[in-house]
Amino acid sequence: MNKTLFFIAAICALAGQGIAQEDMGIMKLDEFRYPKQRKIIDIPNVNGLQVLKCDFHMHTVFTDGHVWPNVRIQEAWKEGLDAIAFTEHVEYIPHKDDVKPGNLRPHELAKNQAAEQNILLIKGTEVTRNTPPGHFNALFIQDDKNLVVSRDSELDNQAIQAVVDQKAFIFWNHPGWKAAQIEGSYEWIPFVDKMYKDKNLHGIEVVNGFGFHKKALDWALDRGLTIIGNTDIHNLIAHEYDIDRNGIHRTMTLVMAKDRSAEAIRTALENGNTVAWSSKYLFGKEEHVRNLFHACVKLIPVFYEKTNAKKAASRYYELQNNSDLYFELKLVNGKATKSMILYPKSSQILIADAGQGKLVYEVVSTYVRSDKHLQVELSL
Amino acid sequence: MNKTLFFIAAICALAGQGIAQEDMGIMKLDEFRYPKQRKIIDIPNVNGLQVLKCDFHMHTVFTDGHVWPNVRIQEAWKEGLDAIAFTEHVEYIPHKDDVKPGNLRPHELAKNQAAEQNILLIKGTEVTRNTPPGHFNALFIQDDKNLVVSRDSELDNQAIQAVVDQKAFIFWNHPGWKAAQIEGSYEWIPFVDKMYKDKNLHGIEVVNGFGFHKKALDWALDRGLTIIGNTDIHNLIAHEYDIDRNGIHRTMTLVMAKDRSAEAIRTALENGNTVAWSSKYLFGKEEHVRNLFHACVKLIPVFYEKTNAKKAASRYYELQNNSDLYFELKLVNGKATKSMILYPKSSQILIADAGQGKLVYEVVSTYVRSDKHLQVELSL
Amino acid sequence: MNKTLFFIAAICALAGQGIAQEDMGIMKLDEFRYPKQRKIIDIPNVNGLQVLKCDFHMHTVFTDGHVWPNVRIQEAWKEGLDAIAFTEHVEYIPHKDDVKPGNLRPHELAKNQAAEQNILLIKGTEVTRNTPPGHFNALFIQDDKNLVVSRDSELDNQAIQAVVDQKAFIFWNHPGWKAAQIEGSYEWIPFVDKMYKDKNLHGIEVVNGFGFHKKALDWALDRGLTIIGNTDIHNLIAHEYDIDRNGIHRTMTLVMAKDRSAEAIRTALENGNTVAWSSKYLFGKEEHVRNLFHACVKLIPVFYEKTNAKKAASRYYELQNNSDLYFELKLVNGKATKSMILYPKSSQILIADAGQGKLVYEVVSTYVRSDKHLQVELSL
Amino acid sequence: MNKTLFFIAAICALAGQGIAQEDMGIMKLDEFRYPKQRKIIDIPNVNGLQVLKCDFHMHTVFTDGHVWPNVRIQEAWKEGLDAIAFTEHVEYIPHKDDVKPGNLRPHELAKNQAAEQNILLIKGTEVTRNTPPGHFNALFIQDDKNLVVSRDSELDNQAIQAVVDQKAFIFWNHPGWKAAQIEGSYEWIPFVDKMYKDKNLHGIEVVNGFGFHKKALDWALDRGLTIIGNTDIHNLIAHEYDIDRNGIHRTMTLVMAKDRSAEAIRTALENGNTVAWSSKYLFGKEEHVRNLFHACVKLIPVFYEKTNAKKAASRYYELQNNSDLYFELKLVNGKATKSMILYPKSSQILIADAGQGKLVYEVVSTYVRSDKHLQVELSL
């Protein structure tokens, strides 16, 4: 839904109040007011599971973000998220001259507003070690009492242990960040390998904002770690994402959960039932991306056949994308339309030579490995 | 879906071709190209019936329209229509010095393109008598052979009989047009009354473009005639409707049909299973508008309760609009949020005093009579 | 300029960096990134004076705003402002449990960023007395050392004196706010009258956000006080104004100044050389609004004359609006097109009967008094 | 200017009429109506010459276009063009079974509407020979009486001579079209060379719609032929260009003329005073593109200097683009911001090391040869 329409509507909606105030000599000029609504991001259920829209990485003025916590709830509401977590840095507090530190203070300040607006608010923090090993998010923590504030590298293990002790769900953030600059590349480092072997690493942030960390996707796939995508937003979403146009969304993790609750999200995260979504792209385990594709896209026969000069017959189909996701397809096998773009909530005509049983397309807007797109079969 | 996203995608989609042409010394500059897609207008089924989007009134260069017939198919495709009818004037052919008349010629020229793009194309014509009685559309005609071309008022009956003989579905177009200017008002005239009593009038075009003919709605309701809304477009849709923003649609008739076929549309029209949709408004029989509302809008408990200083408890709900329709509500009965705008595919928070069983809202963006909005109950 | 275009361009612009990071295994997905640019609001000079775009009223987390000071500079840059002032409340500090108070601290934190982005940053504060008398902004203050923090009404005079002592430019904020609710109306109160007579009141905030305080305009006009319009923004501009569409702007004061400097702004404010701009409307002294209109709008003869059946001749003209302002005109005197909307950077055709020397239009999108629009003459 | 704003305004503008009709029982639902206005494309004068926006290649239903001639005038008006020419095919008339041929008939039908809307309408035609040699546009023809209708290749010379005899301004259309497909490449063919030597070829359509014919630019530059860019639109502009967003324009020729008249356009075309504009790109003689750049872009010192840890000073500048054109710059010489995008009517901050006299940037969004961008000096 487009904000302009909201806005028009707002004129009407506010007219009543306007008149009331008008009586008191104040005229309302609402034509340019931004309309308020919670956008619905339309993604059908996948095999009976709800697809929850989650962002598990963001900051406020309490560490190095630019906004008060309430703004993050407003943003989540406007942009159709189901769940978010404030993940303030444990060890990095640049505003401390002005703002009193408190790792879970944003959570405390915003929790009622979140409840009122039906946003699930999950307690989290960012364990912010120097690189390597870098940063880790811990979700579902209990409190912020025993976190390790010193960045001394000798305390790296202890810092992780502090969140392990809280039974947190832990994922490695943006593995290539800085690491790529320091080393020229980024690697699966021993520190992380030990966490993994100790079962203290549960996921990897494969997409951070607009950056897709390619190797990280393969590491997650090969080790059965959960694939995560987040904004890691510090600034305003509205100043970083071209969000007001419909179809433009912030980076997020699509969590396939049995219901809309924090518990179901935790279970889904532990089971690895996620797909990361950033810009036009989906990133995940092949099975999940495939199921998501087939939940969203349907092939409808048009019952129209055209015969050309050489007496070859073409059959017409409509390929419908019933979701707000975006899919771009290239033909791999069969004789049919070579490439197609399925924009959010739209369809395209597919023309196939008669007499074929199926077509195979590569969905080039998906990554099921750093070097591999999903392939789908369409039965004719 | 927003066209900008399409457009970005188009850059990628066309890149391949671009490269091919580039080899031949032609560089493709696709950044500003308009993306091609069929928009899906999202309206859930109503009691198991599909909601088909139809426009039964439009013109081309063959009478007084400004476009070749293929443009009307392009427009229908872009704008998510299921069915259209060319309805050229029988008696008014202003381009005849340049264009050879042919009442069903646009249908003939466009029918293959319509089939390829999965648009149902229904044969129609506009019987264009002087006012009164004015204009009538005849749908599902067979041919254009025996239509009465003269506008002599003595032939008015004969002109209608010509389409009755073809077993057409006939509706009175824009009853207030010109009539209101001639008479200062418009009335249920004897000519039309006779058609109605002879069972030769089956519907009324209550909304024509941006004009809602208020009395006509009551006439249709009181006589069980089918309620129709059309564009009656002569110019480009793109130059008359602010269509490229999502949520902005052309005027249309929502036909609740058992399947997506011309036959099912005819049956639904004969049964009066329609709601007209123009701008933000819905127009129809109370039962149909009510069913449509409840198919689109759901009340979800938020499980959050807030107690104020006076120990009164408020309960929170999310009111979701799962459609591309627009609903504006005003509280009529109960203690709760006084007014709400449900934009397409969005939701709002509803706050109600605890201890109530239901609320009653008036849906002020609907007309179930010229002076009456739909009232809906929400169970808490 | 439209952000989508920026955005497309951003794809290209970032491609180079993308490739660099790509080498390190990070792929940039920039398609939905918000493009960065300083928008130019196009308003021609008025009688040789530059028209500076200023917002003299806004808040940050240091009192009751929702953002860090740097966000206000970002907003000013994006939205084409020349000058802003942080005006934190002296007496109201709701975040004090978390944020260390400091009335000019936002100024201190943001001043370098403002300088780098060519935004003029003026020191200000909001003297926030209970209503009555309500709130006053003081611009061009020197420091925040001797401000009166107590809201005790016995200290109201002293609180104003504290900013008078700093030689501040002082204006009364949103005179109807709360006052209208307390009294059922709002009045020119003795406290303010005394300030005015003592020459300690220099302007009135006639427009605050989307509220036009009608009586306040007449008070300013009758007493020669400067007319001011501000956002008084606490939240994000992006969440309150529908700003990303071109032509949509935040509320502001247009200051007609001899150059683009803080000094010239002060002089212009003292001379009353301002027009307030909110939504589609302009508010100001008749002379200023008239000069602004004529600087922006030009009548161009088309040299086309049409003679109708009655041998009366019509002449054609193009009325061009060379600014980003909006003007809506209604004919008052003469025979010509009855009403016209001059959208930003656009023109309309004006058709006038031949043989007239001039036309008079009322510019209904302007207020030169609470009940009076500007009238303009167009010479034919 | 953005159409949404227009649209809002339209609500108000139409309210009066709405009320009038309301009295007669017709309610106006104007919320989604497309607003009407002539957009101003803002390009400053270049050395005292007006920059006229022209499209010299388009079709209607009279040959193979999809619209009645009046639509082309509507489009030109909306999109801010100064001059257009209908250029129907002489030899290709696919609608002839339905539409009576008449090469200049569209001109005749539309000329009054063009005059009323202040659009300069130039008589033209497209001489449509088989490839090679392909198609040529002839502007400023007198009539369509002696044009050669047969496509027989033996009549190619005679067909050109027919428009030469009318003293037409003749340019070669889209030289690579089909030619590239037939030959694998396209060349400066003897037929065209003879025309050139006989002074019967005056320009080349270097850009046709979204296709930049690279070799053609060099041919034009090397032979002093006029550089032309056109849409060659057959369909609706609104369905081919993403036009409703501000900053998105149709392909056109910018003609630098001494006044806004057909005569001045002809003189400018004969003098080669043109730049083609398509998508984000400008194409033309180096001198013209340079003059256009400097007319649009200004460097403003910010008077802010920052000294870094190494005591090196950086100076700040604002680079302003006062036009609706788009410029993308890459640093070639000097120490300063490496790349910048100057969106329409916007500016960017440029940071340069202190102590330099000038910087050199390449304007990569321009082509002054098929393999060469404009280079500009900025004096510090």
Side-chain angles (χ1 to χ4, degrees), chain A residues 4 42 116 245-246 345, chain B residues 4 42 245-246 306 345:
Chain A
T4 303
D42 204 346
E116 291 176 18
R245 291 180 293 127
N246 198 19
K345 304 293 289 182
Chain B
T4 305
D42 205 345
R245 292 180 293 128
N246 199 19
K306 195 151 113 177
K345 305 293 291 181

Side-chain angles (χ1 to χ4, degrees), chain A residues 69-84:
Chain A
N70 65 340
V71 171
R72 297 288 177 232
I73 306 295
Q74 278 184 47
E75 290 173 336
W77 162 260
K78 281 174 73 271
E79 295 148 21
L81 293 186
D82 293 290
I84 64 169

Side-chain angles (χ1 to χ4, degrees), chain C residues 265-333:
Chain C
I265 289 173
R266 174 140 207 180
T267 303
L269 286 175
E270 288 174 351
N271 293 340
N273 273 338
T274 63
V275 170
W277 185 31
S278 179
S279 180
K280 301 180 306 179
Y281 302 96
L282 294 167
F283 308 85
K285 291 174 196 162
E286 183 165 346
E287 168 199 5
H288 294 147
V289 178
R290 181 182 310 283
N291 290 344
L292 190 54
F293 176 87
H294 287 298
C296 297
V297 176
K298 304 296 175 198
L299 187 70
I300 314 286
V302 171
F303 301 116
Y304 180 74
E305 191 170 307
K306 195 152 112 177
T307 306
N308 70 13
K310 297 174 186 169
K311 310 234 167 160
S314 297
R315 291 204 178 129
Y316 283 70
Y317 300 83
E318 187 167 343
L319 193 63
Q320 291 187 331
N321 175 11
N322 294 296
S323 78
D324 282 326
L325 302 173
Y326 167 101
F327 298 101
E328 194 173 329
L329 291 82
K330 302 279 179 204
L331 184 67
V332 171
N333 220 319

Side-chain angles (χ1 to χ4, degrees), chain B residues 58-69 72 86 88 95 106:
Chain B
M58 66 190 62
H59 298 274
T60 74
V61 295
F62 282 84
T63 57
D64 58 347
H66 306 344
V67 301
W68 198 246
R72 297 290 176 230
F86 294 110
E88 298 294 6
H95 296 162

